[in-house]
Structure formats: structure tokens, C-alpha cells
Amino acid sequence: MTYDEAAAEDYYRKAFGLDPMNAGAMMRLGEMYYKRGEFDKARFYIDRVNKNFEPSSESLWLALRR
């Protein structure tokens, strides 16, 4: 099975659109954007996760790396 990044991004963006408090969708979008070097977009999602939920080691690490 191959990874279709565009389809994954579309899926998570739709999930976020339906539920703007979906921490899982925000984390995945933040990770995807970080890996692509789109740091402003990554920061938007990761900051939102860390401000609205109990930060996890994963979300804090991503926030530190930006």
C-alpha cells in the first residue's frame, strides 16, 4: 500500500472542518506541514492542540522543533 499524502491531507482537513476541536486531525496536519517545511501552517495546528488539550510529548516535541 502506498501513502497518498494529498488524500491524507484532504481527509484530515475535512475532519478538521467538521470538528475544529479534533485533536487527532490537528496533530496529523501539523506533522504533515512540518515535514513539508510549511512551518506557519504546522504552527497553527500544533499551537491549537497544545492550547486546547493536555499537551502530549508528541505535540510538545513538534512545537519545539518548529
Side-chain angles (χ1 to χ4, degrees), residues 1 9-10 12 24 28 30 36-37 39 42-43 45 47 52-53 58 63:
M1 182 163 102
E9 179 181 3
D10 186 53
Y12 289 120
R28 299 297 79 81
R36 281 195 257 171
F39 302 117
R43 184 176 304 118
Y45 292 105
D47 285 350
N52 292 293
F53 300 95
E58 182 182 12

Side-chain angles (χ1 to χ4, degrees), residues 3-59:
Y3 177 70
D4 184 348
E5 187 174 338
E9 179 181 3
D10 186 53
Y11 174 84
Y12 289 120
R13 287 179 58 83
K14 285 179 183 175
F16 178 74
L18 292 171
D19 179 7
M21 294 304 286
N22 184 326
M26 288 187 276
M27 279 297 300
R28 299 297 79 81
L29 286 166
E31 290 171 342
M32 293 172 90
Y33 291 133
Y34 177 81
K35 288 178 183 176
R36 281 195 257 171
E38 297 180 52
F39 302 117
D40 288 337
K41 287 181 180 180
R43 184 176 304 118
F44 170 80
Y45 292 105
I46 296 306
D47 285 350
R48 190 174 167 103
V49 169
N50 287 331
K51 288 177 184 174
N52 292 293
F53 300 95
E54 183 70 30
S56 67
S57 58
E58 182 182 12
S59 69

